[in-house]
Amino acid sequence: MTEGSYGRRMTALAAVITFTFAALITRLWFLQVLAAEEYRGRAQINRVRVVPIAAARGQILDRHGHPLVTNEQAIVLTVDRSEVEDEDALLAALSEVLKVPAGDLRDRLEDPDYLPYQPVPVWERTPPQVAVYISEHADEFPGVDFQMVGARTYVTQGSGPLAPHLVGSLGEINAQEVLDPSFTGVLPGQLVGRGGVEQYYEHYLRGDSGWQKLEVDASGDVLGTIGRQEPIPGNDLVLALDAEIQQLAQDRLAAAIGAARKTVVGENGAYVKAPAGAVVVMDPDTGQILAMASFPTFDPRRFLNEVTPAELRKLYSPGRNQPLTNRAVAGLYPPGSTFKPFIAAAAVKAGYADVSGTTYPCPPTFQVQGDTSGTVFHNWSSYDQGSLTLAESLIRSCDTVYYNFGYDFYRDRDVRGENMQQQLKRWGFGGETGIDIPGEQEGRIPDQRWKELVHEQWPRVFPDDIWFPGDNINMSIGQGDVLVTPLQLASAYSAIA
C-alpha cells in the first residue's frame, strides 16, 4: 500500500466519524430543544392516570314521596393486584371469611375491565364484622382494602320488596352495552338497570361519573393524588304508584293464588294449579298505574351480588313459571268473558245492538244457519235464559247473545271489512299501551291476514288459511286465537269507566 492511498483512506474514515458525531449531536439538539415540549407532554401523560368514580344512583319514590328504592352505605371489598404475591392464598383466605367460593372471587379479581393500578371490587356488601376482622389481620390479607359506596336497597313490606317487576333490578353492564352510545360514561363493571323503570329511566337515574387523577411512577405505583372531580348523583324518579295500594295488591294476589290452589275441581278431585296471576290498578281519569303486581315474583336484592347460573335458570324456568316475567304487561291470555263489554260496544256502533231496551234471546246453544258441519256453540248454562237486554246479557254473561253478534260481523265482512277487529283495536287491543317500562307485548287480534301468515309458517298446527264464521264467533266471547295483556284490559275498562 502506498503512503498516498493510506492517507486518503484515513481521511475518509475521519470524515465518516465526523459525520456520525454531527448527526448524533443534531439529533440530541432536536430532542432536547425543538421536540422538548412534545416529549414533556408525553411524559406527563405517562405519569398521570385517571381513575373514574361512579355516581350514586337516584332514588325511586311513590306518588307520595315514600321510598321504594333508595341507596345505603355498603362496604365494598377491593384488592390491589400489584400488592398481591400469592393470589391463591389470598383468595382462599377471603373465601373462608366471606363464605364465598374462591372461584367466584377469582372471576371478579381477574376482570379485564380494571386497569393494573386500579383496585378491583371483589365483593359488595361485605358484612361489617368481616371487614373488622380483615382490618385487624391486615398482614394475612395483602392488598385488601374497603370502600364505602352507595348501594341499592329495596323497601320491603309484608312478603317482600314492593313492585319488583315494575321497579326492576340492576346488573353489570355487558360488553355490547359498553360500546352503545346510550351508555356513554358508564364504567366497566358498573351496574345498570335491568327491567322496569330502572332500565327505562337508566339515563336519568345513573348520574354522571367523576374522576380522580393519580400520579404514578414507571412501575405503576401510585405516588399521590393530583386532582379530583366529584361525581354528580342521578335524579330521583317519582312514580304514579301508591305504595299502600301496591302492598294491598301484592298481598291479595298472593292470597288469591293460595286460596285457588286449595280448591278442588273435576271428578278426580284434583286441585287447581293456579300457576300465576297479575293485578293492575289504574286511575281511569288519568291512566296512571297505582299498583301493578305479578305472581310468581322475585327479589331484586338477589342481583346485588353476583347471581349464579343455577339461580338464573330458576328465574327464567318455565317449570317455575318464569318469576322474572311481568305478567301484567307481558302475559298473553284469552280474555274470556271480560271481552264482552267491548264486543257489545262494537255491536252497538255497528248497529247490531242498542241500549234502548231491545232484548236478545239467550238459548243454551247456537248454530250458524246453513252450516253443514253440524258445529254447535254452547252457552255456559244448559237452560234457556229467555230474552235479555244488552245490560242483562253482560250481567248474566250470556255467550249465545255474543255468538250472534260475532256472526253478524262475519256476514257483513264483504261490505264492511273486518269491522269487529277494527273496533277492538280502537280499544287498544292488539297494540302496546305505551307504558314506560320495557317488555310490553302487543297481544293479538287475529284476522284473515293473520291466519294466512300462521298457516304459511306452521301448516300442521294451522291447517286452514281461511277465516271461518266460527273464528268470529269464538272471538266474540274472548276465546279462539285472541290474546290480551292484563294492562290492555285495565286500560280498556278505564276508558269505559
Side-chain angles (χ1 to χ4, degrees):
M1 179 184 297
T2 64
E3 184 176 346
S5 62
Y6 174 78
R8 286 194 297 272
R9 291 190 177 191
M10 290 301 296
T11 301
L13 177 61
V16 169
I17 294 173
T18 303
F19 176 80
T20 301
F21 273 100
L24 288 173
I25 293 170
T26 302
R27 181 60 179 169
L28 288 173
W29 177 79
F30 171 80
L31 292 175
Q32 296 182 23
V33 179
L34 293 183
E37 286 301 317
E38 177 185 352
Y39 285 98
R40 187 177 296 113
R42 291 186 185 182
Q44 179 74 8
I45 293 172
N46 286 337
R47 72 180 183 86
V48 175
R49 298 291 184 266
V50 178
V51 178
I53 306 171
R57 216 169 159 81
Q59 300 182 97
I60 301 176
L61 314 170
D62 85 339
R63 67 191 301 116
H64 304 296
H66 299 145
L68 300 173
V69 184
T70 60
N71 297 311
E72 65 178 7
Q73 290 295 305
I75 305 172
V76 177
L77 186 151
T78 65
V79 175
D80 185 344
R81 290 170 289 188
S82 64
E83 297 181 14
V84 179
E85 294 183 0
D86 190 340
E87 186 176 291
D88 292 337
L90 175 62
L91 292 177
L94 289 175
S95 173
E96 184 176 350
V97 295
L98 290 171
K99 309 302 180 186
V100 177
D104 293 350
L105 300 175
R106 184 183 302 279
D107 290 342
R108 293 188 168 206
L109 183 61
E110 295 177 352
D111 190 335
D113 291 329
Y114 289 92
L115 302 172
Y117 53 83
Q118 189 176 4
V120 180
V122 171
W123 197 251
E124 293 84 12
R125 295 181 181 269
T126 306
Q129 63 272 23
V130 172
V132 171
Y133 176 84
I134 292 176
S135 298
E136 292 176 347
H137 301 79
D139 55 333
E140 300 176 19
F141 300 91
V144 175
D145 201 355
F146 300 97
Q147 296 176 357
M148 297 298 293
V149 301
R152 243 18 184 174
T153 180
Y154 297 85
V155 175
T156 60
Q157 295 181 16
S159 57
L162 288 175
H165 293 92
L166 188 62
V167 167
S169 58
L170 298 181
E172 188 171 324
I173 189 170
N174 58 45
Q176 291 76 28
E177 289 169 331
V178 168
L179 302 176
D180 189 331
S182 62
F183 287 94
T184 299
V186 180
L187 313 176
Q190 188 172 336
L191 300 178
V192 296
R194 294 281 183 257
V197 294
E198 287 273 29
Q199 179 176 333
Y200 193 92
Y201 290 102
E202 166 66 27
H203 176 72
Y204 300 96
L205 286 166
R206 71 170 175 248
D208 296 322
S209 300
W211 48 261
Q212 184 177 22
K213 286 185 179 180
L214 302 177
E215 185 178 11
V216 299
D217 60 18
S219 301
D221 295 328
V222 178
L223 302 178
T225 300
I226 57 177
R228 181 184 178 93
Q229 178 170 302
E230 297 299 328
I232 301 174
N235 295 291
D236 289 346
L237 178 64
V238 180
L239 305 181
L241 204 75
D242 186 301
E244 186 175 349
I245 300 175
Q246 177 66 32
Q247 184 63 62
L248 180 62
Q250 290 181 201
D251 291 344
R252 299 306 296 169
L253 176 59
I257 293 287
R261 289 175 176 176
K262 296 177 182 178
T263 304
V264 178
V265 294
E267 297 178 357
N268 60 355
Y271 287 99
V272 174
K273 291 184 178 180
V279 171
V280 177
V281 181
M282 179 179 285
D283 182 339
D285 293 324
T286 63
Q288 293 180 333
I289 303 296
L290 303 182
M292 179 179 286
S294 182
F295 186 95
T297 187
F298 72 99
D299 190 338
R301 292 173 296 184
R302 283 296 304 113
F303 294 91
L304 295 176
N305 279 317
E306 190 171 355
V307 180
T308 66
E311 290 173 319
L312 277 179
R313 283 194 295 271
K314 291 178 182 179
L315 291 171
Y316 285 106
S317 169
R320 295 176 178 265
N321 300 306
Q322 298 170 315
L324 288 181
T325 299
N326 183 357
R327 284 171 165 74
V329 300
L332 296 173
Y333 307 99
S337 291
T338 62
F339 221 38
K340 289 174 180 173
F342 312 106
I343 299 295
V348 170
K349 191 170 183 63
Y352 305 135
D354 64 60
V355 293
S356 63
T358 301
T359 58
Y360 307 90
C362 182
T365 61
F366 172 83
Q367 286 182 278
V368 175
Q369 292 181 359
D371 180 17
T372 58
S373 70
T375 302
V376 178
F377 298 90
H378 294 271
N379 192 9
W380 63 268
S381 66
S382 58
Y383 63 91
D384 193 320
Q385 297 189 42
S387 295
L388 308 174
T389 65
L390 191 63
E392 290 171 337
S393 75
L394 288 170
I395 293 169
R396 298 194 188 184
S397 191
C398 178
D399 294 335
T400 47
V401 168
Y402 291 87
Y403 292 153
N404 273 290
F405 293 153
Y407 185 56
D408 288 337
F409 280 107
Y410 183 86
R411 285 184 307 176
D412 289 346
R413 287 172 76 244
D414 291 341
V415 177
R416 308 178 75 170
E418 295 175 313
N419 191 21
M420 185 170 76
Q421 286 89 336
Q422 293 168 6
Q423 294 299 322
L424 291 171
K425 288 178 180 179
R426 293 185 66 190
W427 284 99
F429 300 111
E432 295 181 3
T433 65
I435 188 172
D436 47 350
I437 54 175
E440 183 181 11
Q441 297 295 308
E442 292 186 348
R444 182 170 68 212
I445 298 297
D447 54 19
Q448 174 64 50
R449 180 59 179 155
W450 174 83
K451 247 196 154 179
E452 292 172 356
L453 290 173
V454 295
H455 170 73
E456 182 180 343
Q457 290 181 295
W458 302 286
R460 291 187 178 181
V461 180
F462 298 92
D464 299 305
D465 62 352
I466 300 172
W467 188 261
F468 293 111
D471 292 317
N472 252 36
I473 291 168
N474 278 325
M475 190 160 65
S476 70
I477 62 164
Q479 299 296 340
D481 295 306
V482 61
L483 295 173
V484 305
T485 68
L487 178 60
Q488 287 173 337
L489 273 178
S491 180
Y493 270 96
S494 286
I496 292 177

